[in-house]
Amino acid sequence: MKLDRRGFFKIMGAAAGASLASSPPSADARSLKAPPDAYGCLVDLTRCIGCRKCEEACNRVNELPAPDRSFEDPTVLNTLRRPDERTYTVVNRYFPGKLDSQNQLVPTYVKIQCMHCQDPACASACIVGALTKKANGSVHYDVSKCIGCRYCMVACPFEIPAYEYHDPITPRVMKCTFCFERISKEGGLPGCAEICPVEAITFGKRSTLLSVAKKRIRENPARYIDQIYGETEVGGTSWMYLSGIDFDKLGFINVPDQPTPKLAETIQHTLFSYLWSPIVLFGLLSGIMWTSHKNGQPNDTEKGEDR
Amino acid sequence: MTHYPYPLKAKFWTPGVLVLLALMAAGAIAAVARFTGGIGYVSNLSTARPWGLWIGVDVASGVALAAGGFTTAFVAHVAGRHTFEPVVRPALLTAMLGYTFVVIGLLVDIGRSWAIWKPMVYWNFNSVLFEVAMCVMFYLNVLYIEFIPIVVERFKGRVDLPGLLSSLNRPIDALLGLADRILPKIMWVFLIAGVVLSCMHQSSLGSLMLVAPTKVHPLWYTPILPLLFLTSAIAVGYPMVVFETTLATSSLKLDGEMQVLGPLTRFTIYLLGLYMALKIGDMVVRGTYVYLLDGTARTNAFLAEMLLGVVVPWLMLLSDHVRRSRRALFIACTFIVGGVLLNRVNVFVVSYQPPVSEASYFPAIGEILITTGLIATLMFLYRFFVTHLPVLSAPAREVSS
């Protein structure tokens, strides 16, 4: 089904703006939560050859269960896949319509994993703060806090977190960790970035990666479209993509530039900072109760005091 | 006006109760499957559809339909309209059981049921769900405290435990006596706190889905969703009281209490009218009426929610005749209750579009059995409590063939 999302977000933006304008000044200060010097990864889709070495390395370094079909099996690419509770990253093959000199369709390969948003909806949603944006850029999951409510999965605009639905007692939320432990060490790389044989995945400071990406576009405008997916999407993501083909032909979804948790957090903090509204309501109701009982008949206010 | 709640002397094991027992047994089997095979074994939930029937019905609708508790407490105790006292206790019982079963439903739905206490220790003030959870936890305790006087009234000075437990008779009686002395003096705090906590989490339940602007259909996704949830919860409070009182008095062969219920639903004209105005105004302001005739299942669910759940019963309530007729009033209130139920299911399940997968969702048999099992247990306990505790005050109906 097709909705006019652009128009819809415009309306939403206006509404959020209006609610901001009328709220107390302390409440609208929702600063961007992105860490100042976070790492990121730049995926250059024009370089990716679809070898799936990144999937294999991810599986190995994260000690995930063995896949149903070998990482060497090329027929795996015949279907579009999604990351799941046993797979943090997958590579999909698209034929967006470009032909080579022999009139063959040219494939474009797209690696999918957690985008590690700068202002993650999952971390905003998480009831216990088990998901947090770390200074190194990763959106980190702490299983020891998790209660399994799956609100992170509801919140994620990229439909990434998966769940161990078949574990009855201790299921976990499963998603790319950005190899948190590895990149916390000096010189450490995520498993996928380390193994990539064609340097399609560049790991580095997000600010550096953005200038690298812009340089590539500038120096080779025929090779790239003029967009970095992840630069501004949902307030920016740590994982960013360069492409020669329109992103919407490659399974990338249209998301707003505004961080998706913004409206919910603004409403919540406007209403409940310092618990001002419950306190006012309590006072108001006490007043009503006092007045009604002063004016009313002497009565059996309390339950159980009827007789 | 005086009313005297009393424990009923009704026959307990009726055919209806046996049906409840069968549903409870089926639900118990499904629950065993859930806790041995996992959520995936009994449900159709997935990465794309992490929330389904349990959140839509057991939790969101359970909370909304328990709103009779705080709305009757407000009208009778805070606003001091004592004519409505006879419905306060049954509404309180429904709310207490309703919230208890919201928590039990959550225990089934969350993956790590044993970790449900963790939000008390790990706080995330950005999370709407955190606030909802805290309010529900406090409110559930408030409801239990509000219920204590009913237990005191029945058992104070009459504690008579059998056998070995009889040595506990005196300490328990002393506790009841203590509660009887202290509670009446401080009950006003809990009555008001109950209303405040309810307003907080009833509205915040609506904020829950605001975190996913790209996933919720524009017919439902609006910045005033929390206000819509609050007004609809307040509006459904009295109709729910009518609904359950009529069911209970019919089943237990009691007088229908129309002299209380009819006037109570006069408020509903304004409350439901306010909700209707907000809902339609929101649709006009945001221009979402463009979707209304697109014929999709989602839009039709919205139309059903609005027309059958709000507009039709509101028009019915305008008529004096309807408000005086036990049957017509029951029908109107059933529509309102069904409308709020459908609204909650719509917001949490129907309106939800996974952005990438085209995953459709329909609850699995295991999910349905657990939900019906929980509802059956709630009704069973309601009957048990009104049989043994002074909750209802309607006199027995004149026997007529």
Side-chain angles (χ1 to χ4, degrees):
Chain A
M1 109 177 242
K2 286 267 170 278
L3 302 172
D4 183 6
R5 293 222 180 262
R6 205 166 286 273
F8 162 51
F9 287 123
K10 224 177 269 170
I11 296 168
M12 293 313 311
S19 77
L20 275 174
S22 60
S23 61
S26 65
D28 63 31
R30 183 180 185 277
S31 51
L32 191 67
K33 288 169 186 162
D37 203 20
Y39 286 114
C41 273
L42 179 67
V43 185
D44 191 331
L45 300 181
T46 67
R47 294 185 180 184
C48 180
I49 54 170
C51 68
R52 299 178 60 223
K53 288 273 184 262
C54 52
E55 289 188 34
E56 190 175 6
C58 176
N59 178 277
R60 190 182 61 247
V61 304
N62 291 298
E63 292 165 6
L64 295 171
D68 294 334
R69 287 155 78 190
S70 152
F71 288 110
E72 266 77 53
D73 183 351
T75 62
V76 168
L77 289 167
N78 291 346
T79 47
L80 293 179
R81 295 169 302 149
R82 294 288 301 167
D84 59 31
E85 71 275 16
R86 301 166 62 203
T87 325
Y88 289 162
T89 187
V90 295
V91 175
N92 280 328
R93 183 181 60 203
Y94 289 86
F95 290 108
K98 227 185 224 174
L99 299 174
D100 63 9
S101 48
Q102 275 101 46
N103 255 3
Q104 296 290 306
L105 283 165
V106 182
T108 299
Y109 300 96
V110 180
K111 178 184 185 297
I112 308 172
Q113 73 295 310
C114 172
M115 299 290 283
H116 297 277
C117 302
Q118 292 284 75
D119 194 345
C122 57
S124 167
C126 181
I127 182 170
V128 287
L131 287 153
T132 44
K133 178 77 173 174
K134 296 291 186 191
N136 66 14
S138 67
V139 175
H140 183 259
Y141 171 62
D142 179 357
V143 69
S144 71
K145 292 182 180 173
C146 181
I147 67 168
C149 67
R150 305 189 298 286
Y151 191 29
C152 52
M153 301 167 66
V154 172
C156 175
F158 297 106
E159 202 184 311
I160 287 295
Y163 201 63
E164 294 183 318
Y165 280 111
H166 289 276
D167 182 331
I169 307 297
T170 56
R172 293 169 295 175
V173 170
M174 300 297 274
K175 71 165 198 71
C176 162
T177 63
F178 206 171
C179 286
F180 177 76
E181 267 81 31
R182 290 166 61 95
I183 67 169
S184 299
K185 288 184 204 124
E186 189 62 36
L189 293 175
C192 53
E194 186 178 68
I195 203 150
C196 182
V198 291
E199 292 182 42
I201 309 171
T202 315
F203 173 79
K205 294 288 181 192
R206 186 173 183 272
S207 47
T208 318
L209 293 176
L210 271 173
S211 33
V212 169
K214 283 172 184 159
K215 185 158 170 273
R216 283 189 204 167
I217 294 174
R218 196 169 55 241
E219 289 175 354
N220 214 335
R223 185 180 172 103
Y224 297 104
I225 59 162
D226 188 14
Q227 186 191 351
I228 306 164
Y229 191 94
E231 181 183 11
T232 56
E233 277 72 12
V234 293
T237 56
S238 281
W239 278 68
M240 296 175 291
Y241 290 81
L242 281 178
S243 170
I245 312 278
D246 275 351
F247 282 107
D248 35 358
K249 290 191 183 134
L250 301 172
F252 287 82
I253 51 171
N254 265 319
V255 289
D257 282 350
Q258 195 182 76
T260 50
K262 187 167 180 169
L263 177 63
E265 280 191 22
T266 304
I267 290 178
Q268 203 66 3
H269 291 305
T270 306
L271 285 179
F272 296 117
S273 49
Y274 309 108
L275 292 178
W276 71 268
S277 63
I279 291 168
V280 168
L281 185 57
F282 195 99
L284 202 67
L285 292 172
S286 306
I288 294 174
M289 196 169 180
W290 189 72
T291 316
S292 72
H293 285 245
K294 200 178 60 167
N295 298 341
Q297 61 281 55
N299 59 62
D300 43 359
T301 325
E302 275 72 50
K303 294 167 186 180
E305 292 294 291
D306 299 328
R307 276 172 278 184
Chain B
M1 174 173 168
T2 52
H3 70 285
Y4 300 106
Y6 60 98
L8 297 176
K9 304 259 177 329
K11 190 174 156 219
F12 193 80
W13 299 104
T14 60
V17 172
L18 297 181
V19 172
L20 291 184
L21 278 184
L23 290 173
M24 287 157 71
I29 292 168
V32 168
R34 147 71 182 92
F35 285 104
T36 50
I39 296 170
Y41 184 57
V42 293
S43 80
N44 285 339
L45 298 175
S46 63
T47 300
R49 309 288 316 221
W51 283 0
L53 180 76
W54 293 336
I55 293 293
V57 174
D58 307 10
V59 177
S61 303
V63 167
L65 298 183
F70 84 95
T71 48
T72 53
F74 173 81
V75 74
H77 292 307
V78 178
R81 305 286 285 269
H82 299 285
T83 44
F84 298 114
E85 295 241 349
V87 294
V88 171
R89 284 189 175 190
L92 171 63
L93 175 61
T94 316
M96 185 184 79
L97 291 174
Y99 274 85
T100 304
F101 279 82
V102 163
V103 174
I104 296 174
L106 272 174
L107 287 172
V108 174
D109 182 79
I110 67 172
R112 300 175 159 232
S113 317
W114 48 271
I116 196 166
W117 55 271
K118 285 187 175 175
M120 286 192 276
V121 181
Y122 304 115
W123 299 352
N124 179 9
F125 293 115
N126 288 326
S127 172
V128 179
L129 191 59
F130 173 75
E131 189 235 313
V132 172
M134 288 295 115
C135 285
V136 168
M137 185 187 79
F138 283 115
Y139 185 48
L140 183 59
N141 285 294
V142 165
L143 285 169
Y144 290 148
I145 291 169
E146 286 184 28
F147 199 76
I148 289 175
I150 300 175
V151 180
V152 169
E153 183 182 316
R154 170 73 179 79
F155 288 109
K156 198 182 118 190
R158 273 175 274 181
V159 181
D160 188 16
L161 295 168
L164 284 174
L165 295 172
S166 60
S167 59
L168 294 173
N169 282 348
R170 280 167 68 93
I172 290 177
D173 204 43
L175 273 180
L176 292 179
L178 188 69
D180 196 28
R181 259 173 292 137
I182 295 173
L183 280 180
K185 296 189 185 69
I186 55 169
M187 190 52 90
W188 69 274
V189 177
F190 294 108
L191 287 168
I192 296 177
V195 177
V196 173
L197 287 166
S198 293
C199 288
M200 286 172 78
H201 71 267
Q202 292 284 3
S203 61
S204 291
L205 265 177
S207 307
L208 274 182
M209 297 310 278
L210 293 184
V211 81
T214 58
K215 296 180 172 181
V216 178
H217 190 286
L219 277 172
W220 289 277
Y221 190 94
T222 159
I224 66 161
L225 201 50
L227 182 62
L228 292 176
F229 264 51
L230 179 63
T231 48
S232 57
I234 293 173
V236 82
Y238 303 142
M240 187 65 195
V241 168
V242 173
F243 179 75
E244 79 208 20
T245 305
T246 309
L247 281 184
T249 51
S250 304
S251 166
L252 298 163
K253 304 199 169 36
L254 303 173
D255 178 73
E257 305 229 70
M258 282 305 289
Q259 74 286 0
V260 180
L261 300 182
L264 198 56
T265 49
R266 279 228 315 278
F267 297 119
T268 305
I269 298 173
Y270 300 100
L271 298 172
L272 191 67
L274 174 68
Y275 172 62
M276 182 167 67
L278 284 171
K279 192 107 168 141
I280 293 173
D282 171 66
M283 189 171 72
V284 171
V285 168
R286 292 186 306 115
T288 49
Y289 48 80
V290 295
Y291 299 106
L292 282 185
L293 296 175
D294 67 11
T296 61
R298 281 194 177 87
T299 303
N300 292 339
F302 182 86
L303 287 173
E305 170 198 326
M306 278 307 287
L307 294 177
L308 297 179
V310 182
V311 177
V312 168
W314 185 75
L315 292 174
M316 284 176 77
L317 284 185
L318 288 180
S319 142
D320 268 346
H321 176 73
V322 168
R323 277 181 284 117
R324 282 199 208 100
S325 150
R326 187 162 183 260
R327 175 185 291 268
L329 187 66
F330 178 72
I331 291 171
C333 289
T334 305
F335 273 106
I336 297 172
V337 168
V340 169
L341 178 78
L342 181 58
N343 171 258
R344 298 310 193 253
V345 172
N346 279 348
V347 168
F348 285 95
V349 184
V350 176
S351 80
Y352 190 86
Q353 302 160 285
V356 185
S357 320
E358 294 286 316
S360 62
Y361 163 84
F362 193 82
I365 186 75
E367 289 173 86
I368 295 170
L369 286 180
I370 286 182
T371 295
T372 51
L374 288 174
I375 295 169
T377 316
L378 192 155
M379 293 170 73
F380 180 87
L381 287 178
Y382 183 95
R383 197 178 173 98
F384 177 83
F385 277 109
V386 298
T387 310
H388 292 282
L389 290 172
V391 174
L392 296 174
S393 37
R397 217 181 314 154
E398 303 283 312
V399 180
S400 59
S401 70

